[in-house]
Amino acid sequence: IDYAPSTLALRGLLIEEARTNLLTYSEQLDNAAWVANNTTATTNTTAAPDGTTTADTITVDVSANANRRQTASCGALRYTFSVYLRAGTDSAVSFGIYQGGWVAQTAVIISGPGTLGGGSSFQTITGLSSSEWTRVAVTTDAAVSAGTLTCYIYPGTTSNTSGDTTICWGAQLEAGSF
């Protein structure tokens, strides 16, 4: 039985197939499994959506393509990358799934209206806030080739500024369209 997390209103019966998170240390962005590119992760800075103080703050050290990323093995399937985000000192967050030299799907969300884009499709999304969690997800447009996928999180945008922060929790990469 599924309930809305903020209001506890009954949503009904939730039936989903089993999935496996392909990202390790999904709540520990300071772990070596997450490659730090010009960023620092400070652990357990904020209460996460589940009520525990396990959310991490990512801070840009040097504003040159600063991100946290993790690579996972994949088969020739569709994949969905999701993460809970909150605005830190910057009102934007960029994230995406990459394979080889091409972008499988990327997104930028900002406070208020944002842009979610990948390939040739773009959608308007809202919700990034410094006081509320936003769960965001991107799905590859088509089955990727077997090999590896890399999931990225950029505090701010890909042209971030030194000192920008983003708060993250619960990163997941799963085979499937949702």
Side-chain angles (χ1 to χ4, degrees), residues 43-74:
T43 60
N44 306 331
T45 59
T46 306
D50 69 353
T52 61
T53 305
T54 54
D56 296 346
T57 299
I58 302 173
T59 304
V60 175
D61 297 331
V62 179
S63 57
N65 198 28
N67 60 69
R68 287 277 157 155
R69 66 184 183 273
Q70 188 175 145
T71 300
S73 296
C74 67

Side-chain angles (χ1 to χ4, degrees), residues 25-31 34 41-58 83-84 86 133 166-171:
Y25 302 96
S26 63
E27 296 175 15
Q28 299 171 356
L29 278 79
D30 67 324
N31 188 281
W34 288 92
T42 307
T43 60
N44 306 331
T45 59
T46 306
D50 69 353
T52 61
T53 305
T54 54
D56 296 346
T57 299
I58 302 173
V83 62
Y84 284 90
R86 280 179 60 178
W133 286 102
T166 295
I167 304 167
C168 306
W169 182 81

Side-chain angles (χ1 to χ4, degrees), residues 73-146:
S73 296
C74 67
L77 303 167
R78 286 180 175 241
Y79 287 86
T80 299
F81 171 48
S82 64
V83 62
Y84 284 90
L85 298 170
R86 280 179 60 178
T89 58
D90 196 309
S91 61
V93 179
S94 300
F95 60 99
I97 308 171
Y98 295 76
Q99 183 179 47
W102 61 274
V103 177
Q105 184 72 267
T106 61
V108 176
I109 62 172
I110 60 173
S111 295
T115 302
L116 170 60
S120 61
S121 64
F122 292 92
Q123 301 171 8
T124 299
I125 61 170
T126 61
L128 187 62
S129 162
S130 60
S131 61
E132 299 289 328
W133 286 102
T134 301
R135 183 175 182 269
V136 294
V138 290
T139 299
T140 57
D141 290 333
V144 298
S145 58

